[in-house]
Amino acid sequence: MTILFNFLVFLHVVGAAMIVGYWIATMREPTVHPRQRDGAFLQLLTGVAMMGLIPFLPDANPNYAKLGIKLVIAIVVAVLAVVGTRKAKTGQPVSTGLAHGVGGLALVNVAIATLWQ
């Protein structure tokens, strides 16, 4: 189970890199890229899978408050990414707040994961 959990952590980090990387790359002309949507779904799926594996890990001491907050933020990021991607795909302008919401909230989720002990 530990190997599977660690592989899911790897994919989770890749998802975060997809969201934040494209956000930083488009900082001057904010938009939402389809890969940000994919990264948001990757983060959501791997995060839920990791939460399901926690009880089977040796020496697991989960902080369910932290995990719940991260889950809510991940859902918001995924919804914003879907809305932004649909707007960009149809040629509608993506608001700066929407684009920065996707990247900024993903970065907040990374900060919660790493700084909240």
Side-chain angles (χ1 to χ4, degrees):
M1 285 295 168
T2 304
I3 293 171
L4 176 60
F5 187 83
N6 289 336
F7 183 69
L8 289 172
V9 169
F10 166 74
L11 290 176
H12 199 67
V13 171
V14 168
M18 290 169 69
I19 300 168
V20 176
Y22 276 107
W23 176 54
I24 292 171
T26 60
M27 191 74 74
R28 289 188 181 215
E29 294 178 23
T31 189
V32 179
H33 195 275
R35 295 300 80 80
Q36 287 179 295
R37 179 200 57 216
D38 298 343
F41 283 126
L42 181 62
Q43 283 231 292
L44 202 53
L45 291 173
T46 56
V48 169
M50 287 188 296
M51 287 173 66
L53 287 178
I54 286 176
F56 302 106
L57 295 175
D59 302 325
N61 188 15
N63 182 343
Y64 289 110
K66 173 182 172 180
L67 295 175
I69 290 169
K70 284 182 54 55
L71 178 62
V72 168
I73 293 172
I75 291 170
V76 170
V77 169
V79 168
L80 292 176
V82 167
V83 169
T85 301
R86 286 186 180 169
K87 282 187 168 201
K89 188 176 182 178
T90 61
Q92 298 175 11
V94 178
S95 71
T96 304
L98 178 65
H100 289 316
V102 172
L105 285 174
L107 197 59
V108 166
N109 235 0
V110 170
I112 290 171
T114 56
L115 301 176
W116 185 347
Q117 297 298 322

